[in-house]
């Protein structure tokens, strides 16, 4: 069994805990960073997509991070419907990354450490409902294997006080969210919600993963929305 002493970082805003980040070990099983590999995608859900998107937009090796919906049908893949918690979707982020710069395992480490709390069932801090669940939508057998082993590794190391509740679901389709949801943390840093729950995530990324942190985020709005909406449906 691997044991680690977890370091917990909390940021308080007006006396309320805004974010918890835990220093966790990297995955034992990972895909090595290789020079002759094409771009890859990964889909992560962990509460409101604003903060998860913001974290990965500040991660080196990530070329695009698009907020959207996974786990449900196309007909109800819109914010009004998803917000009911009855469509089966999870607010998610589609991450396009360069495996020559960052591995899938490193993305998982950032996801489990600073992007969200994987021990909260169907919620993240003030947001509750199945649409805010912790979930990984794996694109292939390799992503599933790495994620499964990493969860087992973290559980064995007793990194968290509570059990990891992250779901592992096969990817079926991904639907980009409405344009006003894209780049929300970057465009609205003055928002009370963003300042309390999302900016601390980015600060924790910089603190815990300085080698992966990038000061200037890669934004959806700086790219062609047509390119951002390139079909990723099977």
């Amino acid at each position: 069994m691997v044991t680690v002493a977890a370091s917990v970082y909390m940021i308080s805003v007006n006396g309320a805990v805004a974010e918890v980040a835990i220093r966790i070990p990297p995955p034992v099983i990972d895909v090595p960073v290789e020079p002759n590999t094409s771009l890859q995608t990964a889909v992560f859900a962990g509460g409101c997509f604003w903060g998860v998107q913001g974290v990965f937009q500040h991660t080196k090796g990530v070329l695009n991070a698009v907020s959207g919906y996974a786990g449900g049908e196309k007909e109800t893949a819109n914010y009004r419907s998803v917000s009911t918690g009855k469509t089966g979707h999870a607010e998610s982020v589609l991450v396009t990354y360069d495996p020559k710069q960052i591995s899938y395992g490193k993305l998982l480490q950032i996801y489990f450490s600073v992007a969200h709390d994987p021990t909260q069932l169907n919620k993240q801090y003030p947001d509750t409902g199945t649409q805010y669940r912790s979930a990984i939508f794996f694109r292939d057998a390799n992503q599933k294997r790495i994620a499964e082993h990493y969860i087992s590794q973290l559980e064995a190391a007793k990194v968290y006080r509570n059990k990891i509740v992250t779901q592992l679901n096969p990817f079926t389709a991904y639907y980009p969210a409405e344009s006003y949801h894209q780049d929300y943390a970057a465009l609205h840093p003055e928002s009370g919600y963003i300042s309390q729950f999302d900016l601390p995530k980015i600060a924790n990324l910089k603190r815990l993963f300085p080698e992966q942190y990038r000061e200037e985020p890669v934004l959806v709005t700086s790219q062609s929305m047509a390119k951002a909406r390139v079909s990723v449906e099977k």
Side-chain angles (χ1 to χ4, degrees), residues 56-73:
F56 286 114
Q57 287 181 322
H58 281 275
T59 300
K60 290 180 181 178
V62 171
L63 305 183
N64 203 5
V66 180
S67 291
Y69 313 106
E73 301 299 323

Side-chain angles (χ1 to χ4, degrees), residues 122-171:
N122 295 331
K123 64 172 295 188
Q124 285 292 307
Y125 298 100
D127 302 314
T128 60
T130 58
Q131 70 271 31
Y132 299 115
R133 65 188 181 273
S134 173
I136 296 169
F137 295 86
F138 55 86
R139 300 302 306 269
D140 53 36
N142 204 35
Q143 286 191 356
K144 180 183 180 182
R145 178 179 64 91
I146 294 170
E148 281 181 334
H149 192 278
Y150 194 33
I151 290 174
S152 297
Q153 175 189 334
L154 295 176
E155 289 282 67
K158 299 186 184 303
V159 171
Y160 306 98
R161 293 181 179 179
N162 300 313
K163 181 179 177 59
I164 294 174
V165 297
T166 305
Q167 298 177 1
L168 292 180
N169 300 317
F171 174 88

Side-chain angles (χ1 to χ4, degrees), residues 11-141:
I11 295 179
S12 179
V13 178
N14 296 326
V17 175
E19 185 59 44
V20 177
I22 299 180
R23 187 187 299 276
I24 60 177
V28 173
I29 294 179
D30 194 5
V31 177
V33 175
E34 298 179 345
N36 299 315
T37 309
S38 58
L39 299 183
Q40 303 291 323
T41 59
V43 179
F44 301 113
C48 177
F49 41 33
W50 295 343
V52 179
Q53 182 191 44
V55 166
F56 286 114
Q57 287 181 322
H58 281 275
T59 300
K60 290 180 181 178
V62 171
L63 305 183
N64 203 5
V66 180
S67 291
Y69 313 106
E73 301 299 323
K74 181 177 181 179
E75 291 72 22
T76 52
N78 60 80
Y79 189 67
R80 181 186 295 273
S81 297
V82 172
S83 294
T84 67
K86 299 178 180 180
T87 67
H89 296 90
E91 289 196 10
S92 309
V93 175
L94 173 67
V95 176
T96 301
Y97 66 99
D98 184 353
K100 296 188 292 294
Q101 301 181 52
I102 191 168
S103 69
Y104 181 67
K106 180 59 69 174
L107 293 176
L108 286 176
Q109 187 182 12
I110 291 170
Y111 168 74
F112 280 112
S113 178
V114 303
H116 84 308
D117 179 353
T119 68
Q120 294 194 47
L121 181 63
N122 295 331
K123 64 172 295 188
Q124 285 292 307
Y125 298 100
D127 302 314
T128 60
T130 58
Q131 70 271 31
Y132 299 115
R133 65 188 181 273
S134 173
I136 296 169
F137 295 86
F138 55 86
R139 300 302 306 269
D140 53 36

Side-chain angles (χ1 to χ4, degrees), residues 176-197:
E178 296 80 354
S179 60
Y180 64 87
H181 284 299
Q182 306 301 337
D183 308 329
Y184 200 90
L187 298 177
H188 303 282
E190 76 290 345
S191 161
Y193 182 99
I194 297 299
S195 65
Q196 182 169 0
F197 297 107

